[in-house]
Amino acid sequence: KERVDPIQIKLQQVNGLGQGLIQSAGKNADIQGLEHDLEDSNVRWNTLNKKVAERITQLQEALLHCGKFQDALEPLLSWLTDTEDLINNQKAPSAEYKVVKAQIQEQKLLQRLLDDRKATVEIIKAEGERIAHTAEPADKEKINKQLLSLTERWDALLGKAAARQKQLEDILVLAKEFHETMEPLADWLIGTEKKLAN
């Protein structure tokens, strides 16, 4: 996980550069290869992340079964913090059609990360509740507070991700309509300007 997480930043940079190239490409430029390469790298990244998440889930289950609830909870809370930072630092949705398409791909990547962690969250919540049920009052209160915090943060993360996905999809429709309306008009204006210049 420690070797994989820093690559997430590099992938975001590559996606950003790819978006920039797609955005700056001329209207007749063939960007399908670039879009395909970006999608392919994101799919590969998703596959790797899924395998890492599965392995982390297995390790956390093993820790839980050994009675080390805190040891299983800490990495999840750390991941939650990192993911909250990632969501909070996402660029605002673009009004440009090509950029919004790329942002939707990034959002799908984030949603897959969340989907991959769902099992871990559920296992830790269930195990925490089981442990709290038999714990001393002071430990029970501490565990219940941790579980409440985990649940609130997890639900907030899911809510923000869903809201952004809907926002991007809504903007994509409008951006596509604008793009399809504006492009012929721009072509006509350029042609008319050339005719008038001659």
Side-chain angles (χ1 to χ4, degrees):
K1 182 180 176 345
E2 288 77 23
R3 294 192 317 216
V4 173
D5 283 350
I7 298 172
Q8 173 74 33
I9 295 166
K10 290 181 181 176
L11 181 68
Q12 289 173 326
Q13 290 171 342
V14 167
N15 278 327
L17 290 172
Q19 285 180 19
L21 287 171
I22 290 169
Q23 184 179 356
S24 64
K27 67 176 182 172
N28 295 326
D30 183 11
I31 56 171
Q32 287 181 342
L34 179 58
E35 287 176 334
H36 176 268
D37 289 346
L38 284 174
E39 175 123 9
D40 183 55
S41 66
N42 284 324
V43 166
R44 287 174 165 208
W45 179 253
N46 289 339
T47 302
L48 174 64
N49 260 323
K50 186 170 187 137
K51 288 179 182 177
V52 168
E54 287 169 359
R55 181 71 177 136
I56 288 171
T57 300
Q58 291 171 347
L59 291 172
Q60 288 174 331
E61 271 186 74
L63 285 171
L64 286 172
H65 291 303
C66 293
K68 297 188 178 184
F69 173 71
Q70 295 299 327
D71 291 341
L73 181 63
E74 290 305 319
L76 179 61
L77 294 177
S78 173
W79 177 85
L80 263 176
T81 299
D82 293 344
T83 308
E84 287 165 342
D85 289 345
L86 176 72
I87 286 179
N88 292 333
N89 292 318
Q90 286 179 311
K91 291 182 181 175
S94 175
E96 293 189 41
Y97 176 65
K98 292 176 184 177
V99 177
V100 174
K101 276 178 56 179
Q103 286 179 321
I104 286 175
Q105 289 304 316
E106 282 185 359
Q107 195 63 30
K108 286 180 182 177
L109 171 70
L110 174 65
Q111 188 59 50
R112 285 188 200 111
L113 290 173
L114 294 173
D115 292 344
D116 291 344
R117 291 293 172 145
K118 184 177 182 181
T120 301
V121 172
E122 295 304 321
I123 288 167
I124 288 179
K125 284 168 59 176
E127 190 64 19
E129 289 169 4
R130 185 188 67 77
I131 292 170
H133 185 67
T134 59
E136 296 293 322
D139 290 336
K140 183 176 190 169
E141 184 179 340
K142 178 183 175 188
I143 291 170
N144 283 334
K145 282 182 181 177
Q146 290 173 318
L147 291 175
L148 179 62
S149 173
L150 172 63
T151 300
E152 288 172 350
R153 289 174 68 188
W154 176 250
D155 290 346
L157 210 55
L158 294 177
K160 285 181 181 180
R164 181 168 170 90
Q165 181 68 32
K166 181 175 182 341
Q167 183 183 32
L168 288 169
E169 288 171 358
D170 291 346
I171 289 173
L172 181 67
V173 172
L174 296 173
K176 185 175 183 181
E177 287 175 11
F178 180 77
H179 179 75
E180 290 172 350
T181 304
M182 195 59 197
E183 195 168 310
L185 179 61
D187 290 345
W188 178 82
L189 284 171
I190 290 169
T192 305
E193 284 175 345
K194 286 180 183 177
K195 287 178 187 174
L196 290 174
N198 293 333

